[in-house]
């Protein structure tokens, strides 16, 4: 199984510059033609490039190095520059160095030079002067930039499933998409984030991210805490999943919104819908009208296990998606397509 990988530590090294040439021009009847060693080529850069076809950092390797520049040649020929190395990363990748954000790749095709190649060395032709008509001096190429970067993916899914462990988020994601997060008949929490894609008949695709590890105190980095809370930042709308079978399920919703608001102010005010899961249980049917009395948000009661009322969720999810698309276009921005 290839998991959704959301962080990587990468060492990037620019290519070495080629050394300068060292030669003297000579031909019949022109023995002392002077120096003609050309400059070496520059080393190749390592460039991070955002690509919307990439959905995870799982294909990013721990080490990349640019190609070296070639040595300067005779007859003032410059060495060829080293080729660039392009590393494709998903849209929404943060690049950090020593804990500081140095780049945020939020648009398809956006590039960031992670490591510059070294400059090529100077050939002996460069050092020709009136005082020195036959320079023997030439310089080696400079080494490329060497950096250790931390890549962090903040999911650019359209919707985020937010809920406490065992609320049924993974089961719901399996029911509405082709994602296959682990589910079981005993209580446990997902340790890896999953992204599922809901496909509609008009070929529109809505990405839904399962945000695991949310517990009370998550904003203080308890449990998995901030490691996955950051994924919610870029979700355009939120799906709060509450377990209707527990007593006072509206308390879960209050706690969830509190955690989001403590992590980042205004996060809990994004467009949302409340999903009351496990409606197939008798206690859930008793708690449903009580939940609707306590909150103002729209409540969709369903069962991820049996598939009851999934149609209403899929239709409302499309409404939220269409509203997001119109809002982005009216602001002159390009909406995120999956």
């Amino acid at each position: 199984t290839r998991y959704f990988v959301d962080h990587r530590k990468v060492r990037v090294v620019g290519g070495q510059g080629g050394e300068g040439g060292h030669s003297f021009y000579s031909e019949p009847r022109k023995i002392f033609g002077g120096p003609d060693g050309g400059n070496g080529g520059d080393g190749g850069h390592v460039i991070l490039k955002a690509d919307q076809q990439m959905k995870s950092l799982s294909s990013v390797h721990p080490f990349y190095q640019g190609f070296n520049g070639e040595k300067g040649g005779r007859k003032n020929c410059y060495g060829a520059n080293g080729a660039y190395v392009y590393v494709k990363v998903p849209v929404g990748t943060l690049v950090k160095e020593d804990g500081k954000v140095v780049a945020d790749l939020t648009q398809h095709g956006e590039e960031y030079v992670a490591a510059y190649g070294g400059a090529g060395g100077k050939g002996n032709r460069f050092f020709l002067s009136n005082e020195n008509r036959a320079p023997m001096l030439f310089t080696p190429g400079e080494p490329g930039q060497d950096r250790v970067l931390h890549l962090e993916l903040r999911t650019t899914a359209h919707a985020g499933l937010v809920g406490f462990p065992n609320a049924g988020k993974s089961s719901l994601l399996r029911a509405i998409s082709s994602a296959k997060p682990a589910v079981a008949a005993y209580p446990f929490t997902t340790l890896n984030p999953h992204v599922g894609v809901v496909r509609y008949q008009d070929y529109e695709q809505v990405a839904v991210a399962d945000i695991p590890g949310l517990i009370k105190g998550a904003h203080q980095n308890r449990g998995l805490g901030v490691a996955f809370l950051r994924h919610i930042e870029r979700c355009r709308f939120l799906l709060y999943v509450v377990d209707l079978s527990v007593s006072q399920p509206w308390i879960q919703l209050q706690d969830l919104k509190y955690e989001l608001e403590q992590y980042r102010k205004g996060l809990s005010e994004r467009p949302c819908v409340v999903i009351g899961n496990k409606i197939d249980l008798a206690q859930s049917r008793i708690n449903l009208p009580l939940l609707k009395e306590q909150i103002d948000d729209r409540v969709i009661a369903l069962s991820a296990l049996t598939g009851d009322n999934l149609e209403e969720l899929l239709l409302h999810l499309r409404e939220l998606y269409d509203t997001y698309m119109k809002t982005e276009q009216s602001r002159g921005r390009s909406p995120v397509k999956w």
Side-chain angles (χ1 to χ4, degrees), residues 121-155:
K122 303 298 184 183
N124 64 338
R125 169 74 182 185
F126 178 82
F127 298 98
L128 177 65
S129 66
N130 289 332
E131 292 76 22
N132 187 1
R133 305 304 300 171
M136 304 292 291
L137 180 64
F138 64 98
T139 59
E142 296 181 1
Q145 193 177 15
D146 191 339
R147 303 171 73 187
V148 176
L149 302 175
H150 293 266
L151 306 184
E152 181 181 297
L153 177 58
R154 295 192 174 178
T155 312

Side-chain angles (χ1 to χ4, degrees), residues 189-301:
T189 186
T190 306
L191 295 179
N192 296 287
H194 292 267
V195 178
V197 179
V198 182
R199 295 176 172 85
Y200 291 89
Q201 290 183 348
D202 59 353
Y203 303 106
E204 285 287 354
Q205 297 185 144
V206 180
V208 181
D210 175 13
I211 313 297
L214 197 58
I215 62 172
K216 288 185 179 181
H219 70 278
Q220 298 171 338
N221 213 18
R222 291 182 182 172
L224 298 176
V226 178
F228 296 127
L229 265 173
R230 63 172 179 262
H231 289 289
I232 305 177
E233 288 185 56
R234 292 185 175 170
C235 291
R236 274 57 184 183
F237 37 90
L238 303 177
L239 309 178
Y240 294 103
V241 183
V242 297
D243 185 351
L244 283 177
S245 65
V246 301
S247 61
Q248 298 182 322
W250 54 89
I251 301 295
Q252 290 186 40
L253 184 62
Q254 294 172 4
D255 291 339
L256 288 170
K257 289 191 174 182
Y258 175 78
E259 290 299 327
L260 297 188
E261 197 63 24
Q262 291 300 308
Y263 175 70
R264 172 154 296 189
K265 192 170 181 62
L267 200 57
S268 64
E269 299 174 2
R270 295 190 180 179
C272 67
V273 62
V274 179
I275 300 173
N277 195 17
K278 306 183 183 180
I279 193 61
D280 52 307
L281 302 179
Q283 186 62 40
S284 300
R285 290 190 285 272
I286 297 173
N287 289 337
L288 178 59
L290 301 176
L291 175 64
K292 290 183 176 180
E293 290 177 5
Q294 293 288 332
I295 64 175
D296 298 327
D297 298 318
R298 177 173 177 175
V299 179
I300 298 177

